[in-house]
Each structure stands twice: as structure tokens, then as C-alpha cells.
């Protein structure tokens, strides 16, 4: 944006939110140029509104000025979703972080977008209820961000019953059933969840609360390799058991995790499986016995059931720290979010192994085996010239692989900037055309988070690789694993 | 002035008898189209749009009573030629089928592998997959297992542009692209015609059980239902009926109010839930009358909201869990009631004075409650405000309609606000 235009816009926005909440200095804007992906881009201005009405007024001003608007709250996204690739105004929601209402009688809560996911469940759990979507980033990611990418174990969309949205026209509307069972008309709420801020800015969210399961039992099973562990998963599912979570880690991940957290995983193991079932005590115990039996039949070399909540948390801690622990193995990693039908897991994992052998890059695997959601982590050193580019190529290949077996290119991280060209792996021009038509109904000039989700003609996959700017400072040896990165 | 000749309306001519069978709210189509591939269906829609013909998609016809009478209706667009199962991978707990397949047919295939779709709409032998999506037909298990939107993971839709476009996919976890699935669920075919649906499915629960209880007062039966609605072991079906409602199920019991719970899960779940339901009944001054249901009872309750008689008038009330209690109490003796206290839903079958009862219910219900006419005889419908006030965001809905169906050829006038 031209200096003069930017200054004029800053003056207008200052009238709405106050001088303190319009950031124009380069130093301050740099703090808003990133998310948890490697891509960065500077916004022209950062605006931090203090109410839904202010959001709507900011949007109206930006809308009239033809300026891009990018919503951002926790910035834990892994796909560049809130990176302002076309500049413009970064709309930071950090001040809209209140839980507005918890209505236990009607099993609903009303929250502002920057409420941290976990804080809602922490607030409601003592009353016997919780908010079900639980992305592994839940201690840092916000419900507004989760709505943007439709993130979380059970998808956010099934737990959001209403939204207040601001449009680029400056309108502020509340859509959806909210506390009611249903509302007539098209399901705008369902459509908006997962639209990654490309249609509207969300200013308020109505969500469902659920009764907490009386008991959760967690089981760790150790296998010589990932293929056998995958077969054990199939065996469990074939028994008609559908655990609340089925998580798997391969040897590279286990070694990294063990070095970082001492969770007690056997470092020689080819794969560990974490299985968790919910239910009333009798059912949870019975299912655990059945799963132990199946896991044994499939050749588990070690089986461990968490005896109490402390042990259960310890088992999970290893899994949740898996990504940050990768720092033990390499300075950088690149993570993917492919999904495949569960039955195709073994073959896809073999193919990924082949890619690793061929390219010489180590690929660690941590994934949600229950729903076929893979998170291959390609380990590399960003300081070595050319490595990042090569790693992105591996990413292309893995996502193509997932798409080709009938899967998806993203299970929870969203398309964002990172995968916009990969959309063509799973959608035809006709599919994309309808999506574009729908988007323009909400935002005719395409000012809301431009450059995301939709592929750009004539561009190769990973269009932004050249824009990766200054190399990040190398962390001092020995600190990797001390901070958690969640996926 | 020069006028351009429009192409003729496509499709096959209908006999008078066929016309009557395909009538929507008394409006007769002149032609019928039926296709056996999604691509052909899309080209058919394009021909209709070019001819300026109004199209109404129909499958099994169980929910054609929804919506306002059509403004125009030329072509009955049958999906029954699209009736194949395309994929079912039991180990993935997913399947893919064409929209014209009957639910019962799919359930039979799934059942052979110990699986099912937890859908229980009225008349599953007639209702088609596409119709269930388009009408968003949710049965009695919606509180426990969710609604149509929770089980559809992918969709293919034929548009008047002549194109077929997909959204979602075949895997259970997927956030790629806009969730256009949601746009078509409950859209009554006003934005496009659903031609294929991908579902996730579930394992059939190991055990089931029943509790039937009698209450003297509405507020107690509903309070017991609300108490259960917030429990972990929610029954699969939880229905509160008044005397009139119960009478319509064929159960020969003269209870002022009844609570019927159908419980599913593992054996231990069923035992524990049965004890919980009984406890809830006693806490709220009710009496457990039976631990099993007479033959045909659950089917009668399932089909309760969609009676075969043309004269029937059915309203659907939707509210919060607390709001539905008040809304149901407002019905009084004006009709049969089947309420789902855990879902915030109640169906009301009205015998007489439909228009005034509707008005009264809308006035007497708490804020945020919505009362719609789910079915009514054609001659009565014109005098009823079927959908009630337009919802917030209506301008966006109109925009979506204009963008995807620019000539308004799809079910014109039937949807909310005359869309």
C-alpha cells in the first residue's frame, strides 16, 4: 500500500479503535507477519478492535478503501492462513477474548473469537461439561481460529450452532440456530465454519457443551513396526470398537519424544500406539480388556494401561510433545496434514518410507490412526541452501499420494496459503468455480483474506517459497523440546 | 419488439394420473425427467433453465409437503434413476451412494456388515438419500447421534449451469475447501440437485432397551426429559407424548403424558441408562409402566410426524432445551404432541383451526422458538405462513440463490421468504 494511503487509512481506523490499537510501525507490524508455518508477509497496518461493532466499522472502512482484511487470533495455524500475503489490514482479535455466557441448562456457551480453546473446557469441566473440539494446539489456539479452519478432533462445525459475523460491507449479522435446535433458511453457520476468514470476520460464537465421559481409559501398545501397529488398529476397529482416540508414533518420533520428555516409551520400538476409550466404568474397562486382547494377538511386545489420571496424562504428554521434540533430531521440520482412508494407511506409510529413502530426508510419523489423518514430519536443516525447497517438493508428493488413494490434503490444518495450489489435487475447476461463486456472495470484491484457499492460475505448488525471508536464529543446543509445538 | 423463441420444455409428457402423483401442494407438473448419471442430470437442469422451466426435484416423495406451494412447476425431476451404491468400505466406516437410493436399501447393505446410518426419518422404505439431505429430515435420534450434517462427508450436486460440482470427500476428517455440503442440507433443492452423497457410518450398537413411563402433568414429563438430556447416557430416542399424541401411535394407554425412551449401547450402557431413565421418571413424579414396547410402537413414533393422511397438519417447533418445555406446554389440547426434550424439537399434529393454532403457538412460545408448518393440505397451505419470519442473514440467502440459480428454475417460491 502507498505510504499516503496507508496513513489516511490509519487515521480513519484510529477514529474507530483509538490510536493505541492501530499499529503502523515496522517493528510492531513484524510481530504480526507470521503464524506457525514458515511463511511470512507484512501487513500494512494492524488493527486490534475492542468490540464486534468496532470490527464491523473497521471492515466497512477497509471495504470501501478496497484494502485486504486478514483475521487473526492465536496465530497457531500451520498453513499460513493468517499471513497477510497481499498486505492490507491484519485484524487482530486478541481483545475479544471473553467467555460471554455459559448456559448449562441449554448446553450452550457464547464466546468471543479469541477465547483459547482449552479455557472453555477448563471452565465447564468442574460442572460436568466440556467443549468437544480439541485440536492438539488447544492450550494456545483460539475458538475463533478453530472456526476458521474447522479444526479439532471432532470437527468444530458440528459443535458450533451460531455465529455473529461482520462482512466487508460493514454489516454485522447473527446467523444460525444459536441456543435453539434449528433455524429456517440455508445453513450459513455450517458454510462459514472452515472458510478460513475468506467470507467474513467472526465476532461471536455459539457452541455446544457436552457431558463429560465418566471414565477414560488409555492403553499403550508397542510394536516392532508401523505396519503391524496399523494392522492392530484395523483389528480393534473390526471388533466394532471405536476408541475416542487412536494415536500412533514411529521410531523416529519415539526416540525424539523419549529424549525430550522421558515419557517412558521404549526407544527401540518400531511403533507405539495410544488407544483411549470413553464410557461408563464397566464399558470402558470391558473395552480396554478387549483391546488388550486384540493388541496382544497382533504381536504387541509391551502393553500398558494407565492406572490413574497421572499415568494417563504421562502417556499423553509424550504424544503432545512429539512435534517440539523433533528439535532433538533436526533443526527444522516440515509437517503435512494428509488424510487417507484408514484401510490405505499401511500402503501410504510404505510409500512415504520410500520417498524418505529416495530423497535422503528422514521422515518421522505421528498421526491420528483412527481417522487416517497423517502428520509426516520431514526433518531438515533450513540453513543448508536448497533443503527447504526440496522438502516442499516432498510435501507435494505426499499430498498427491493422499489425494490419489481417495483422501484429502488437509484434515485439520486448513488450506491457507500453503496448500492453495494443492486444491487441484482434490477439486475440479467446476468444484472451485462454485466455491468462488459462493464466496463472492459474502465478499464481492474478495477482500477477506485474499490469496488463500483458491489456487492461483499459472502458479506452481508452494508459490511463496521465494518469500521466505531472513533465516531464523538457530536455537542454542539443548533447548529443543522445552516448548511445545502442537499439532 | 423482438422476442426470442425459448426452447421447448424438456422431459417426457405425463398422463393426468402421473401428474397428480407428482403434484406439489396441488400444483401439477407437465413433464418429468429422470436420469441415470449425474452428468445427464446436470444437463437436464441446464435444459430446464434455458427453457425457463421450473423444476422440482423429488425422490421418494415423503417430504414434498415441506415448504410453500411452488410459484411455478413445469418439470418433475426424479432422482430415482440415480440409485446405485458406489462404494462401501466397512473397515473405513464410510460409503458413497447415488441420491435416489432409498434409505432402507442402503441400511440393508450396511446391516450385512453390522453397520448403519443413524438416521431414522419417517418411511425409510420410501425416503431417498438425496431427499433426506435436501429436506434435512432428522428423526428421533438427532440429540444422541446428531443430524444429517454430522454424517454426510461429501456431496455431488447438479447445478442449472449444467455442471456437477463436488464438496467434501470420502474421508471422515477433511477440511479442504468450503463446506458446501452444509449449504445443500435442508435447502429443499433450491440451489442445486444433490446427485451423490458420501456418508460416514456407525457400528450397530450391541444392545437396546426400552422404558415407557406415565406422567400426570406435562411439566413433569418434560422436566424428566430435560434432566436426561444433560446426562452422559442419553437414550437414542427420548420422546414425550401427550394423550392425543400417544393415541396416534396405536398404544392403547390413557396416560395424560408419556415418556418413551429407546436406549442403545453396550449391554452395560443399556442397563445403566435404563436405571437412569427410571430414576429420572421417579424424581419427576412419573411412573415406569413398561420395559418393553408393543410391536410397531417405535415405527409408529418414527412415522408420527409424517402421517399418510393428506388431511393431516403437522407443525415442527424448535427451541432451546428449556424453551421447548414452555413451547410444548403452550399446545394445550390443540393437538397431538411428540416432543424431543433432548433435541429442543416438538412435532404437533393439529386436527382443526390450523391457522389460529399456528398463530397462537408462535405468540406463546418463548423467544428464539421457531414454529414451521411441516405439512398441510394444499387448500389450507395458502392461508398458512409456512416458514414464519425470515431468518437473520436472509439477504445473503437471497444472494446465494441468485448466484447459483440465476433464473430461479429450482423449486421457485417453496423455500424461506419465497426463495
Amino acid at each position: 500500500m502507498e505510504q499516503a494511503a496507508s496513513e489516511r487509512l490509519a487515521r480513519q481506523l484510529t477514529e474507530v479503535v483509538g490510536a493505541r490499537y492501530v499499529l503502523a510501525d515496522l517493528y510492531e507490524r513484524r510481530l504480526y507477519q507470521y503464524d506457525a508455518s514458515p511463511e511470512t508477509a507484512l501487513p500494512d497496518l494492524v488493527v486490534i478492535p475492542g468490540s464486534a461493532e468496532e470490527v464491523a466499522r473497521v471492515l466497512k472502512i477497509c471495504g470501501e478503501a478496497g484494502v485486504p482484511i486478514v483475521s487473526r487470533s492465536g496465530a497457531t495455524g500451520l498453513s499460513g492462513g493468517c499471513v497477510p500475503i497481499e498486505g492490507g489490514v491484519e485484524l487482530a482479535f486478541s481483545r475479544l477474548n471473553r467467555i460471554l455466557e455459559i448456559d448449562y441448562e441449554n448446553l450452550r456457551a457464547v464466546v468471543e473469537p479469541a477465547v483459547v480453546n482449552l479455557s472453555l473446557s477448563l471452565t465447564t469441566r468442574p460442572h460436568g461439561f466440556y467443549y468437544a473440539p480439541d485440536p492438539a494446539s488447544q492450550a494456545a489456539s483460539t475458538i475463533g481460529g478453530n472456526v476458521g479452519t474447522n479444526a479439532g478432533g471432532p470437527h468444530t462445525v458440528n459443535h458450533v450452532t451460531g455465529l455473529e459475523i461482520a462482512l466487508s460491507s460493514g454489516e454485522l449479522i447473527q446467523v444460525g440456530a444459536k441456543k435453539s435446535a434449528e433455524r429456517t433458511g440455508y445453513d450459513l453457520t455450517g458454510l462459514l465454519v472452515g472458510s478460513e476468514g475468506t467470507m467474513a470476520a467472526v465476532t461471536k460464537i455459539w457452541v455446544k457443551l457436552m457431558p463429560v465421559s465418566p471414565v477414560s481409559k488409555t492403553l499403550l501398545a508397542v510394536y516392532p513396526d508401523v505396519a503391524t501397529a496399523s494392522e492392530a488398529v484395523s483389528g480393534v476397529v473390526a471388533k466394532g470398537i471405536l476408541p475416542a482416540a487412536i494415536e500412533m508414533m514411529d521410531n523416529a518420533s519415539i526416540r525424539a519424544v523419549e529424549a525430550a520428555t522421558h515419557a517412558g516409551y521404549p526407544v527401540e520400538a518400531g511403533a507405539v500406539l495410544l488407544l483411549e476409550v470413553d464410557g461408563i466404568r464397566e464399558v470402558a474397562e470391558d473395552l480396554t480388556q478387549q483391546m488388550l486382547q486384540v493388541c496382544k494377538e497382533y504381536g504387541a511386545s509391551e502393553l500398558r494401561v494407565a492406572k490413574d489420571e497421572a499415568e494417563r496424562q504421562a502417556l499423553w504428554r509424550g504424544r503432545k510433545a512429539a512435534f517440539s521434540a523433533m528439535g532433538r533430531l533436526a533443526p527444522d521440520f516440515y509437517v503435512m496434514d494428509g488424510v487417507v482412508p484408514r484401510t490405505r494407511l499401511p500402503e501410504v506409510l510404505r510409500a512415504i518410507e520410500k520417498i524418505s529413502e529416495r530423497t535422503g530426508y528422514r521422515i518421522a510419523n505421528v498421526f491420528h490412526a483412527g481417522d487416517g489423518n497423517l502428520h509426516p514430519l520431514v526433518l531438515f536443516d533450513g540453513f543448508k541452501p536448497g533443503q527447504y525447497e526440496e522438502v516442499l517438493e516432498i510435501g507435494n508428493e505426499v499430498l498427491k499420494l493422499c489425494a490419489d488413494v481417495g483422501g484429502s490434503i488437509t484434515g485439520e490444518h486448513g488450506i491457507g496459503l500453503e496448500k492453495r495450489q494443492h486444491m487441484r489435487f482434490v477439486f475440479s475447476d467446476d468444484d472451485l468455480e462454485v466455491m468462488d461463486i459462493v464466496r463472492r456472495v459474502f465478499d464481492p470484491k474478495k477482500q477477506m483474506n485474499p490469496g488463500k484457499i483458491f489456487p492461483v492460475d499459472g502458479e506452481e505448488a508452494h508459490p511463496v517459497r521465494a518469500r521466505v525471508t531472513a533465516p531464523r536464529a538457530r536455537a542454542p543446543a539443548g533447548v529443543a523440546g522445552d516448548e511445545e509445538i502442537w499439532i | 419488439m423482438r422476442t426470442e423463441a425459448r426452447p421447448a420444455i424438456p422431459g417426457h409428457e405425463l398422463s393426468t394420473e402421473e401428474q397428480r402423483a407428482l403434484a406439489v401442494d396441488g400444483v401439477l407438473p407437465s413433464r418429468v425427467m429422470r436420469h441415470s448419471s449425474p452428468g445427464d442430470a446436470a444437463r437436464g437442469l441446464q435444459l430446464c433453465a434455458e427453457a425457463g422451466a421450473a423444476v422440482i426435484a423429488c425422490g421418494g416423495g415423503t417430504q414434498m409437503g415441506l415448504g410453500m406451494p411452488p410459484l411455478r412447476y413445469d418439470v418433475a425431476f426424479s432422482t430415482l434413476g440415480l440409485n446405485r451404491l458406489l462404494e462401501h468400505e466397512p473397515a473405513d466406516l464410510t460409503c458413497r451412494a447415488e441420491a435416489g437410493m432409498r434409505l432402507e436399501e442402503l441400511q440393508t447393505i450396511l446391516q450385512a456388515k453390522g453397520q448403519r446410518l443413524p438416521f431414522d426419518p419417517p418411511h425409510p422404505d420410501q425416503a431417498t438419500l438425496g431427499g433426506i439431505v435436501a429436506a434435512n429430515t432428522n428423526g428421533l435420534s438427532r440429540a444422541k447421534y446428531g443430524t444429517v450434517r454430522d454424517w454426510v462427508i461429501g456431496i455431488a450436486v447438479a447445478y442449472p449451469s449444467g455442471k456437477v460440482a463436488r464438496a467434501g470427500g470420502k474421508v471422515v476428517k477433511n477440511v479442504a475447501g468450503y463446506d458446501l455440503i452444509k449449504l445443500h442440507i435442508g435447502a429443499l433443492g433450491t440451489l442445486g440437485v444433490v446427485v451423490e452423497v458420501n456418508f460416514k457410518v456407525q457400528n450397530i450398537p450391541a444392545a437396546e432397551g426400552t422404558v415407557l413411563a406415565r406422567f400426570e402433568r406435562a411439566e413433569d414429563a418434560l422436566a424428566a426429559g430435560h434432566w436426561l438430556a444433560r446426562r452422559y447416557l442419553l437414550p437414542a430416542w427420548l420422546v414425550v407424548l401427550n394423550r392425543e399424541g400417544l393415541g396416534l401411535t396405536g398404544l392403547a394407554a390413557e396416560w395424560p403424558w408419556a415418556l418413551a425412551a429407546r436406549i442403545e449401547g453396550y449391554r452395560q450402557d443399556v442397563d445403566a441408562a435404563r436405571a437412569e431413565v427410571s430414576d429420572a421418571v421417579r424424581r419427576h413424579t412419573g411412573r415406569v409402566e413398561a420395559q418393553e414396547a408393543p410391536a410397531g410402537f417405535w415405527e409408529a413414533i418414527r412415522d408420527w410426524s409424517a402421517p399418510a393422511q393428506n388431511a393431516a397438519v403437522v407443525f415442527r417447533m424448535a427451541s432451546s432445551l428449556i424453551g421447548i418445555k414452555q413451547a410444548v406446554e403452550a399446545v394445550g389440547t390443540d393437538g397431538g404432541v411428540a416432543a424431543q426434550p433432548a433435541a429442543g424439537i416438538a412435532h404437533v399434529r393439529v386436527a382443526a383451526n390450523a391457522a389460529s393454532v399456528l398463530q397462537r403457538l408462535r405468540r406463546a412460545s418463548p423467544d428464539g422458538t421457531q414454529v414451521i408448518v411441516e405439512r398441510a393440505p394444499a387448500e389450507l397451505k395458502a392461508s398458512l405462513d409456512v416458514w414464519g419470519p425470515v431468518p437473520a442473514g436472509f439477504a445473503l440467502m437471497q444472494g446465494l440463490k441468485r448466484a447459483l440459480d440465476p433464473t430461479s428454475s429450482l423449486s421457485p417460491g417453496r423455500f424461506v421468504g419465497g426463495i
Side-chain angles (χ1 to χ4, degrees), chain A residues 223-424:
Chain A
Y223 287 95
D225 51 59
V226 169
T228 319
S230 302
E231 283 168 23
V233 170
S234 300
V236 168
V237 173
K239 268 253 177 193
I241 303 171
L242 203 60
I246 310 178
E247 300 289 314
M248 204 190 296
M249 274 180 277
D250 68 0
N251 178 264
S253 314
I254 297 165
R255 284 180 185 277
V257 164
E258 208 31 49
T261 69
H262 312 291
Y265 299 166
V267 292
E268 298 302 321
V272 297
L273 207 52
L274 269 180
L275 298 155
E276 184 162 288
V277 285
D278 290 342
I280 60 170
R281 178 162 304 282
E282 299 86 332
V283 168
E285 280 171 2
D286 189 16
L287 292 179
T288 304
Q289 286 309 316
Q290 288 188 43
M291 291 196 306
L292 281 170
Q293 185 66 34
V294 175
C295 287
K296 206 181 286 175
E297 280 166 22
Y298 283 87
S301 59
E302 190 186 335
L303 287 164
R304 214 186 296 162
V305 179
K307 281 194 280 295
D308 52 32
E309 185 57 22
E311 276 196 31
R312 177 173 165 257
Q313 291 298 339
L315 288 182
W316 275 107
R317 183 166 161 68
R319 164 63 184 90
K320 296 215 170 179
F323 285 67
S324 49
M326 291 302 157
R328 301 267 164 177
L329 304 181
D332 291 279
F333 65 80
Y334 179 68
V335 61
M336 280 147 273
D337 179 35
V339 189
V340 299
R342 186 173 31 225
T343 46
R344 309 297 289 269
L345 265 178
E347 101 186 57
V348 170
L349 289 169
R350 271 196 302 278
I352 291 174
E353 206 177 313
K354 284 218 179 87
I355 294 173
S356 171
E357 283 164 14
R358 196 190 69 224
T359 59
Y361 284 96
R362 204 159 169 197
I363 304 180
N365 279 294
V366 177
F367 54 95
H368 315 290
D371 43 30
N373 190 188
L374 295 163
H375 292 310
L377 297 128
V378 188
L379 306 174
F380 70 106
D381 184 347
F383 287 97
K384 295 198 176 139
Q387 284 213 346
Y388 183 56
E389 287 74 7
E390 285 174 12
V391 164
L392 291 180
E393 279 308 320
I394 293 174
N396 286 342
E397 208 176 327
V398 170
L399 293 185
K400 187 80 174 65
L401 197 63
C402 293
D404 287 349
V405 299
S408 173
I409 56 174
T410 174
E412 53 187 357
H413 296 176
I415 299 294
L417 198 53
E418 181 202 25
K419 292 183 282 291
R420 63 181 184 185
Q421 297 307 108
H422 301 113
M423 282 286 276
R424 295 200 194 280

Side-chain angles (χ1 to χ4, degrees), chain B residues 38-65:
Chain B
D40 287 348
R43 277 184 290 279
L45 287 184
Q46 188 180 16
L47 290 175
C48 291
E50 285 168 358
V55 179
I56 296 181
C58 57
T62 61
Q63 297 294 328
M64 297 312 284

Side-chain angles (χ1 to χ4, degrees), chain B residues 39-386:
Chain B
D40 287 348
R43 277 184 290 279
L45 287 184
Q46 188 180 16
L47 290 175
C48 291
E50 285 168 358
V55 179
I56 296 181
C58 57
T62 61
Q63 297 294 328
M64 297 312 284
L66 257 184
M68 312 230 277
L71 289 175
R72 298 174 286 126
Y73 183 18
D74 302 300
V75 179
F77 200 85
S78 171
T79 60
L80 294 176
L82 295 161
N83 57 2
R84 293 168 302 166
L85 176 74
L86 301 170
E87 284 175 57
H88 174 218
E89 180 50 72
D92 287 333
L93 291 167
T94 57
C95 71
R96 189 161 79 90
E98 289 181 330
M101 181 180 237
R102 315 267 186 187
L103 177 64
E104 196 167 88
E105 199 183 329
L106 178 60
Q107 297 283 36
T108 305
I109 294 165
L110 296 174
Q111 206 174 356
K113 304 288 180 186
Q115 298 179 343
R116 69 174 186 187
L117 264 175
F119 289 175
D120 43 31
H123 311 297
D125 55 329
Q126 293 295 311
T128 59
L129 304 174
I132 289 167
V133 171
N136 193 16
T137 320
N138 293 295
L140 298 165
S141 62
R142 59 186 291 164
K144 175 86 168 178
Y145 301 120
T147 57
V148 172
R149 78 208 291 274
D150 296 297
W151 295 90
V152 179
I153 56 173
I155 201 170
V157 179
Y159 290 96
S161 64
K163 291 174 179 172
V164 175
R166 291 168 195 278
K170 301 199 298 185
V171 282
V172 298
K173 199 170 179 189
N174 184 4
V175 298
Y178 291 154
D179 193 346
L180 300 183
I181 301 167
K182 305 296 185 289
L183 205 48
H184 292 282
I185 293 176
L188 226 51
T190 53
L191 298 175
V193 175
V194 176
V195 287
E196 272 176 33
V197 195
N198 308 350
F199 295 102
K200 56 177 179 178
V201 301
Q202 68 172 197
N203 294 314
I204 295 174
E208 67 167 75
T210 293
V211 177
L212 300 182
R214 169 197 172 121
F215 287 84
E216 302 306 315
R217 300 190 312 169
E219 57 193 273
D220 295 328
L222 292 162
H226 180 253
W227 190 85
L228 287 166
R230 297 161 68 250
R231 305 293 297 173
Y232 180 76
L233 288 175
L234 179 68
W237 295 9
L238 183 62
V239 191
V240 170
L241 301 117
N242 65 1
R243 191 192 307 268
E244 294 81 352
L246 195 60
L248 292 164
T249 65
L251 187 73
E254 280 295 311
W255 311 339
W257 286 84
L259 180 144
R262 183 179 193 175
I263 302 159
E264 292 180 343
Y266 294 101
R267 169 54 52 202
Q268 304 97 316
D269 285 327
V270 171
D271 292 344
R274 192 188 280 122
E276 267 199 11
V277 173
S278 305
D279 183 34
V281 168
R282 280 189 290 269
R283 275 165 186 261
H284 296 89
T285 71
R287 199 167 70 207
V288 173
E289 296 281 355
Q291 303 265 7
E292 56 186 42
F297 175 74
W298 290 121
E299 288 76 11
I301 291 205
R302 180 196 67 201
D303 296 346
W304 196 98
S305 64
Q309 311 91 293
N310 280 330
V313 179
V314 179
F315 302 150
R316 182 166 84 225
M317 305 200 287
S319 190
S320 64
L321 299 185
I322 292 291
I324 202 67
K325 297 198 313 186
Q326 272 173 273
V328 168
E329 286 172 37
V331 176
T333 54
D334 276 341
V337 172
Q340 301 169 54
I345 293 286
H347 282 96
V348 182
R349 267 164 74 170
V350 185
N353 305 323
S356 62
V357 173
L358 179 63
Q359 263 192 358
R360 196 179 64 70
L361 287 180
R362 281 187 177 146
R363 261 200 323 270
S365 302
D367 280 353
T369 305
Q370 140 189 316
V371 188
I372 66 161
V373 179
E374 207 171 79
R375 59 186 60 225
E379 59 279 12
L380 192 58
K381 231 185 194 183
S383 67
L384 297 176
D385 177 7
V386 168

